[in-house]
Amino acid sequence: MRWNLSSRARELSGGDAILISIPKSGRTWVRTFLNAYFSYKLGRQFSLDLTDRGDAGVPRIIYSHDRFEDRTKSNAWDRLRRKYLIPRRALRKRPIVLLARDPRDAFVSYFIQLTRRNPATPTEIREMSMDTFLRHPRFGIAVMVEVLNGWITEFGDRSDFTIVRYEDLRAEPARLFHELLRAIGEKQIDENVFGPAIDFSDFRNMQKLEAAGEFGSKILQPRDREDPESFKVRQGKIGGFREYLSAESQSYARQVCAGLNPRFRYNTTTGTGRRD
């Protein structure tokens, strides 16, 4: 059931395109690229919220974790109102991009964000081991897989629905960012600003800008400059979950991720995001 009877419905409506994802799937990277591209195209100074505003000449993009936040953030009152869901009417005739990442890597980054970056995280979760949190009925990896599959069930038959995989973006950023721009409705891509936008959103440049505090946004500030794990732009490593999860937990995660819809094309035996 999709509706939103909360005051947040307005924020999640009125977009020209929708970008949905589970947390830590590369959304900030994609958002940085899109805002750099349209900032350069219009001759403006970079702003991380340019595509949130709907200014003339810039598509307004709704960035949302949608079903995932409905599952993990909602209290009883929020669930009744569906506070975190994009309203059904806001999805009509709007292109939808699903930014996907191997849930095992997304999960590890999500856990680190909750325990190293988010001061509002309850103590009971902050003190929980990653292996225990992996199996959590509300926040664990099974919820991530369920949410990803739910989006495919809901939107998969739409002609304006596109899956963009984080691993493909890392492997071929120029080609995939072209595809992303076309997916959100940019029919004529300005190649004069496309290259500089790619360079600006390069992972190493984003880390450098975050460390220097030059983004001008709370979204891109380290919690602790002495702790590399507290940075928003952390590693972005493909298959990095192997460095954090025990062998037993890797086996559990592999079994859960085997239930992913085949359209995601993840080979869960490798942890590399390669196609089956």
Side-chain angles (χ1 to χ4, degrees), residues 70-113:
D70 185 57
R71 285 291 306 274
T72 60
K73 282 190 175 183
S74 294
N75 56 32
W77 178 229
D78 293 338
R79 282 192 295 274
L80 181 64
R81 296 178 299 159
R82 293 291 193 265
K83 176 180 177 179
Y84 296 103
L85 291 183
I86 301 169
R88 182 177 298 277
R89 66 182 180 277
L91 294 164
R92 293 174 185 157
K93 299 181 180 180
R94 299 292 188 273
I96 300 172
V97 175
L98 170 51
L99 178 61
R101 186 183 185 187
D102 187 319
R104 294 168 293 184
D105 282 331
F107 167 80
V108 167
S109 292
Y110 176 57
F111 176 81
I112 290 173
Q113 172 161 301

Side-chain angles (χ1 to χ4, degrees), residues 141-253:
I141 194 170
V143 174
M144 291 183 162
V145 171
E146 179 183 333
V147 167
L148 287 166
N149 286 341
W151 282 324
I152 292 289
T153 299
E154 186 174 9
F155 304 126
D157 292 336
R158 289 178 50 154
S159 61
D160 57 357
F161 174 71
T162 304
I163 299 174
V164 175
R165 302 195 324 160
Y166 173 85
E167 294 80 9
D168 296 335
L169 277 170
R170 291 297 302 272
E172 300 180 88
R175 182 175 71 83
L176 267 296
F177 275 122
H178 267 100
E179 289 187 10
L180 176 64
L181 283 170
R182 286 191 288 269
I184 65 170
E186 181 75 350
K187 296 178 180 179
Q188 296 293 328
I189 296 176
D190 189 336
E191 297 296 341
N192 292 322
V193 301
F194 180 84
I198 287 280
D199 292 339
F200 183 86
S201 59
D202 177 79
F203 220 69
R204 288 165 295 184
N205 188 54
M206 286 180 64
Q207 288 177 320
K208 186 187 304 181
L209 291 171
E210 181 179 2
E214 295 184 14
F215 270 108
S217 169
K218 292 181 179 179
I219 296 175
L220 279 164
Q221 290 181 3
R223 175 74 176 163
D224 178 357
R225 295 184 187 278
E226 302 301 318
D227 179 7
E229 297 281 39
S230 76
F231 278 64
K232 180 71 171 178
V233 184
R234 202 173 55 83
Q235 292 185 23
K237 190 174 181 179
I238 297 171
F241 70 89
R242 295 171 183 267
E243 300 172 12
Y244 292 87
L245 296 177
S246 67
E248 181 182 356
S249 287
Q250 288 183 43
S251 177
Y252 169 78

Side-chain angles (χ1 to χ4, degrees), residues 107 111 128-143 245-256:
F107 167 80
F111 176 81
M128 195 176 293
S129 72
M130 187 179 293
D131 290 323
T132 299
F133 194 71
L134 182 76
R135 297 162 172 80
H136 198 286
R138 185 175 182 184
F139 304 101
I141 194 170
V143 174
L245 296 177
S246 67
E248 181 182 356
S249 287
Q250 288 183 43
S251 177
Y252 169 78
R254 181 169 60 250
Q255 293 173 27
V256 172

Side-chain angles (χ1 to χ4, degrees), residues 32-46 50 190 192-201 205:
T32 299
F33 166 78
L34 290 173
N35 283 291
Y37 173 84
F38 287 107
S39 292
Y40 292 158
K41 183 179 178 181
L42 296 178
R44 298 186 184 181
Q45 184 176 357
F46 172 82
L50 178 64
D190 189 336
N192 292 322
V193 301
F194 180 84
I198 287 280
D199 292 339
F200 183 86
S201 59
N205 188 54

